[in-house]
């Protein structure tokens, strides 16, 4: 409620007038209320349908009894586990409340009023939101094919004001992938003082074809971001991290809120890292299901392009109606109009039975005209 007739938007910092909140995938509970139904399936937010690894579940239960205590503000055990996994020093690890916070911290630390941040026009939308919130100027580079980052175009946009470049690999929402050789060729052309964020939220789904980027990609300002929200099944606990030069991380930590990674999240993430075989098995199963879904969508004439994450990309001239009609059947999909892709829909790969239900609903929808 507005009291006293005050215009609070006018009182806020200037960039707030250009800022819009991030819109997540529609929650199941919301759809149930809207449609008056008692069951719904969410295939909108690229969550792991198998849930967290067994060791993480056990760690969550064990840690619950300690929630009256503050967590380790340095998340020492988790940093050490990640450092061991990636062959780096613990001082090179930055932890965040999901990779969203990590991205926001990086942009906020290095870009402010008058500075420039470069990203792909159809890259992860948080890059643009974080840039605007920081008061910096975003430069969205168009994709020649409408899907894949234009790495040459991004380099061409660099000027004296450029402070940060953001690259998603694989990209969300388009599912495209660049090789490490292509990324390194780009990095070789970027001035050393510019921070280059390579966002690898979906890297577990391309490990075999991409290879390990940490230790291979080289640039003084390189920051590689990852998350426990996708392959590790911990989306609800919000655990993201970055690996970079220790001196760079030290500066970013000056902006990090105290205790930004909660006690249960820390315990679950440490435990999840011990379940490598479990995670790899679930990733292989998701990839197999993704292939089956893309084949089926192709047969229906709906497949936009193959994807490299845990989702598929659908294209239809009346995508908005398709999404509404699927919701009426209790199926939540992700429309991509906010990305300038009004005819595209992103669909998370679910469990086999969930995917079958979705595909059958799509076949019936097409048949009905």
């Amino acid at each position: 409620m507005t009291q006293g007739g005050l215009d609070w938007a006018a009182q806020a910092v200037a960039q707030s007038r250009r800022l819009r909140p991030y819109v997540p995938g529609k929650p199941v509970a919301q759809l149930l209320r809207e449609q008056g139904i008692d069951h719904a399936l969410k295939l909108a937010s690229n969550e792991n349908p198998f849930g967290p690894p067994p060791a993480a579940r056990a760690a969550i239960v064990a840690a619950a009894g300690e929630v009256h205590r503050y967590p380790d503000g340095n998340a020492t055990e988790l940093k050490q586990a990640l450092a061991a996994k990636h062959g780096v020093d613990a001082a090179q690890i930055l932890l965040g409340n999901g990779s969203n916070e990590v991205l926001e911290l990086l942009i906020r630390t290095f870009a402010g009023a008058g500075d420039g941040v470069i990203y792909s026009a159809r890259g992860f939308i948080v890059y643009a939101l974080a840039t605007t919130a920081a008061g910096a100027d975003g430069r969205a580079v168009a994709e020649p094919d409408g899907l894949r980052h234009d790495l040459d175009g991004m380099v061409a946009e660099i000027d004296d004001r450029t402070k940060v470049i953001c690259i998603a690999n694989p990209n969300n929402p388009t599912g495209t992938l660049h090789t490490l050789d292509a990324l390194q060729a780009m990095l070789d052309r970027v001035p050393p003082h510019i921070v280059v964020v390579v966002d690898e939220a979906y890297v577990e789904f391309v490990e075999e074809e991409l290879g390990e980027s940490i230790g291979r990609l080289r640039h003084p300002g390189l920051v590689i971001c990852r998350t426990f929200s996708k392959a590790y099944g911990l989306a609800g606990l919000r655990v993201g991290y970055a690996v970079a030069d220790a001196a760079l991380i030290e500066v970013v930590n000056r902006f990090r809120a105290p205790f930004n990674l909660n006690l249960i999240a820390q315990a679950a993430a440490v435990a999840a890292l011990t379940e490598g075989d479990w995670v790899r098995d679930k990733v292989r199963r998701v990839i197999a299901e993704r292939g089956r879904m893309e084949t089926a969508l192709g047969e229906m004439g709906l497949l936009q392009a193959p994807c490299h994450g845990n989702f598929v990309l659908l294209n239809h001239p009346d995508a908005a109606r398709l999404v509404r009609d699927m919701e009426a059947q209790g199926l939540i999909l992700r429309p991509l109009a906010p990305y300038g892709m009004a005819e595209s829909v992103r669909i998370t790969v679910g469990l086999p039975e969930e995917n079958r239900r979705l595909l059958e609903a799509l076949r019936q929808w097409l048949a009905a005209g």
Side-chain angles (χ1 to χ4, degrees):
M1 176 181 294
T2 300
Q3 297 184 8
L6 291 172
D7 182 356
W8 291 111
Q11 303 303 314
V13 293
Q15 58 264 34
S16 67
R17 290 184 280 281
R18 298 183 289 122
L19 194 62
R20 296 293 180 270
Y22 176 80
V23 180
K26 180 175 292 188
V28 169
Q30 179 181 340
L31 184 67
L32 297 182
R33 291 192 299 269
E34 291 175 352
Q35 299 293 336
I37 55 181
D38 58 11
H39 179 74
L41 173 60
K42 185 180 180 183
L43 297 173
S45 298
N46 298 345
E47 297 144 335
N48 184 336
F50 297 100
R57 293 175 187 265
I60 290 168
V61 174
E66 296 296 317
V67 294
H68 58 300
R69 305 293 185 188
Y70 283 106
D72 175 358
N74 188 52
T76 304
E77 187 177 3
L78 179 54
K79 283 186 179 179
Q80 290 174 343
L82 287 168
K85 173 180 172 63
H86 296 302
V88 300
D89 190 88
Q92 294 178 254
I93 305 291
L94 171 70
L95 292 167
N97 183 37
S99 59
N100 276 32
E101 186 191 29
V102 172
L103 296 167
E104 290 164 3
L105 283 169
L106 288 163
I107 291 173
R108 180 181 170 199
T109 301
F110 294 104
D115 297 326
V117 179
I118 297 171
Y119 42 78
S120 184
R122 289 171 176 169
F124 187 32
I125 204 166
V126 166
Y127 310 147
L129 295 176
T131 297
T132 300
D137 298 320
R139 294 190 179 182
V141 178
E143 304 81 358
D145 63 356
L147 298 173
R148 183 181 299 273
H149 285 32
D150 181 359
L151 299 181
D152 291 335
M154 296 174 87
V155 172
E157 285 292 327
I158 295 173
D159 61 20
D160 291 341
R161 298 191 305 123
T162 304
K163 293 295 184 68
V164 181
I165 300 174
C166 297
I167 302 167
N169 200 53
N171 184 43
N172 169 35
T174 63
T176 54
L177 180 70
H178 285 285
T179 66
L180 296 184
D181 287 342
L183 291 175
Q184 187 59 58
M186 177 196 181
L187 291 170
D188 289 341
R189 301 162 61 194
V190 176
H193 69 277
I194 294 176
V195 173
V196 182
V197 179
V198 178
D199 182 0
E200 296 185 339
Y202 299 88
V203 71
E204 290 84 3
F205 300 95
V206 295
E207 280 182 332
E208 293 185 5
E209 57 187 303
L210 185 68
E212 177 54 73
S213 60
I214 296 175
R216 180 173 167 185
L217 291 180
R218 298 192 176 277
H219 180 269
L222 176 65
V223 183
I224 295 177
C225 294
R226 295 190 177 175
T227 182
F228 283 80
S229 294
K230 308 304 177 185
Y232 285 94
L234 296 179
L237 290 180
R238 315 302 300 121
V239 186
Y241 67 99
V243 181
D245 178 77
L248 185 155
I249 295 297
E250 190 278 326
V251 177
V252 180
N253 268 320
R254 300 175 191 178
F255 289 81
R256 182 176 60 85
F259 310 114
N260 66 323
L261 197 59
N262 72 70
L263 184 148
I264 293 179
Q266 291 185 35
V270 170
L273 288 173
T274 69
E275 293 269 26
D277 289 343
W278 188 96
V279 172
R280 284 185 288 272
D281 173 68
K282 301 305 178 288
V283 165
R284 284 191 292 268
R285 291 165 69 175
V286 167
I287 292 173
E289 280 298 302
R290 185 188 69 201
R292 283 190 280 273
M293 291 179 71
E294 289 183 338
T295 296
L297 291 173
E299 292 170 349
M300 288 183 258
L302 294 175
L303 182 66
Q304 180 159 354
C307 291
H308 290 86
N310 63 340
F311 54 89
V312 297
L313 205 59
L314 175 155
N315 183 273
H316 189 276
D318 200 356
R321 180 171 66 89
L322 185 153
V323 169
R324 290 195 303 270
D325 290 349
M326 290 300 105
E327 288 187 353
Q329 298 187 51
L331 295 164
I332 305 173
L333 312 182
R334 189 63 174 269
L336 297 183
Y339 286 88
M341 302 170 68
E343 297 185 354
S344 300
V345 179
R346 195 190 67 195
I347 306 172
T348 304
V349 176
L351 297 171
E353 59 271 23
E354 296 172 339
N355 301 329
R356 284 192 292 270
R357 177 185 168 192
L358 168 74
L359 293 171
E360 182 56 32
L362 289 173
R363 291 189 186 96
Q364 293 177 4
W365 186 82
L366 289 172

